[in-house]
Amino acid sequence: MVNGFDLKIADIPIRFTASFEMEIPPELRAFLTPPQTPEERYELVATACPPDGRGLPRCADPQGLSIFRMPDGWLRVFHALRAPDGTETAAHYRDDGRNTVYLPAADLARYTHRCTFAPLLGGEALFARHGAMILHSSLVRTTRGGLLFSGVSGAGKSTQAALWERFRDAEVLNGDRSVIRRRDGRFLAYGSPFCGSSGIYRPESAPVRALFFPQKAQDCACTRLTPMQTVRMLYPGLTLNSWDAAFMAVITEQLTAFAQEVPAFVLRCRPDEAAVEAAERALDTL
């Protein structure tokens, strides 16, 4: 049980402090580091009266949330995380990276033992502040570089990642949501604690060599996409804060550059080694 800890995700140092003792959430343990100078801070506060947004401009109501504008950032109220007394978990994400998460005191045990904390981080906003974006994708590190398999749930991205692991001894760094960030003139893909049901998250990265959109088919072949086609196919797989103009400007810039610089393919495939071979043939053309 601890009152604070440091970690690093996508090369961003983050510090957590808490007003109570808690177990480090399982999905964050792999990203722990020794104490460092943080670029983002999260203060976890147990309170009987979490802020509920009353009196603030209400900007959006995505599923399970309400979003309110604050002078220095945004307030999110998590309706699905409601305590027995009716109070709801809330988070104040500040533009300067000094964030506060308010946890209902009446339901504190939910957060002190084996809590899945990642959804409360506002990760897409955190990464956008550092010029990065979350992409709905599996990330595989291979001898050819990092390969991303992107698509909606059920498209086969996790299956294709597993095939590379099985047949080419590749390493799966993330099973569901990779972080994409430009560093030293190239795009890197990072493992992140946002791993969905895959349970695969590693605190490592790989330079992105190519992006594949799996589509189930009887044959196995790749079709190269134009940058505009890539943007159109990537867009549904992004986590977007459409109510935040600054956020959308960053994501638009990063998405456009990513689509222009990273080769992308539609991968028609079966769940067997022939799909790996088809992707390899596409990579040989680069």
Side-chain angles (χ1 to χ4, degrees):
M1 302 289 281
V2 298
N3 290 99
F5 53 91
D6 286 69
L7 50 80
K8 183 179 286 187
I9 305 173
D11 287 331
I12 302 169
I14 305 170
R15 174 166 296 165
F16 287 81
T17 57
S19 63
F20 51 89
E21 289 194 337
M22 61 179 292
E23 291 183 2
I24 298 174
E27 76 276 14
L28 299 184
R29 291 173 190 163
F31 299 86
L32 290 174
T33 67
Q36 58 198 314
T37 301
E39 296 178 17
E40 296 278 339
R41 299 173 184 266
Y42 287 84
E43 182 181 5
L44 313 180
V45 177
T47 176
C49 300
D52 59 11
R54 276 183 283 188
L56 295 173
R58 193 178 195 129
C59 299
D61 291 282
Q63 186 175 8
L65 297 171
S66 288
I67 311 295
F68 301 88
R69 190 66 169 116
M70 301 187 74
D72 57 355
W74 302 89
L75 177 71
R76 294 189 192 183
V77 177
F78 297 84
H79 303 306
L81 300 177
R82 180 174 296 172
D85 65 356
T87 54
E88 297 173 328
T89 298
H92 178 190
Y93 305 126
R94 289 178 45 169
D95 298 331
D96 63 3
R98 294 177 174 269
N99 313 291
T100 305
V101 179
Y102 299 93
L103 307 172
D107 201 24
L108 189 58
R110 179 200 292 239
Y111 302 99
T112 56
H113 297 281
R114 302 189 64 81
C115 167
T116 300
F117 205 83
L120 299 178
L121 301 183
E124 73 287 351
L126 181 159
F127 297 125
R129 286 195 292 273
H130 298 269
M133 60 185 177
I134 299 178
L135 180 63
H136 195 186
S137 62
S138 295
L139 168 60
V140 183
R141 184 167 58 196
T142 76
T143 57
R144 295 170 177 260
L147 304 181
L148 291 162
F149 296 92
S150 184
V152 298
S153 297
K157 59 184 183 297
S158 297
T159 298
Q160 293 304 311
L163 290 172
W164 277 82
E165 183 178 46
R166 176 182 176 186
F167 293 111
R168 298 297 184 270
D169 293 325
E171 303 169 278
V172 182
L173 302 187
N174 191 268
D176 189 63
R177 295 186 185 273
S178 310
V179 178
I180 310 299
R181 190 180 185 194
R182 190 180 184 87
R183 302 283 282 172
D184 299 323
R186 62 179 180 173
F187 280 101
L188 299 181
Y190 295 81
S192 82
F194 309 98
C195 63
S197 61
S198 72
I200 302 173
Y201 43 84
R202 298 178 62 177
E204 300 175 37
S205 65
V208 180
R209 184 68 182 103
L211 167 68
F212 294 92
F213 295 94
Q215 293 183 356
K216 295 176 182 178
Q218 294 304 308
D219 63 333
C220 292
C222 286
T223 302
R224 181 75 180 263
L225 297 171
T226 66
M228 183 58 71
Q229 290 171 324
T230 302
V231 168
R232 289 173 179 169
M233 295 194 71
L234 278 176
Y235 199 81
L238 296 173
T239 302
L240 298 174
N241 291 353
S242 58
W243 55 86
D244 184 345
F247 172 94
M248 294 301 294
V250 170
I251 296 303
T252 299
E253 179 181 355
Q254 293 300 312
L255 178 60
T256 301
F258 183 79
Q260 290 174 340
E261 297 180 27
V262 175
F265 302 85
V266 170
L267 171 61
R268 298 190 306 277
C269 54
R270 303 187 302 268
D272 58 32
E273 189 176 8
V276 177
E277 294 169 348
E280 288 177 323
R281 289 194 296 271
L283 293 171
D284 287 340
T285 67
L286 301 177

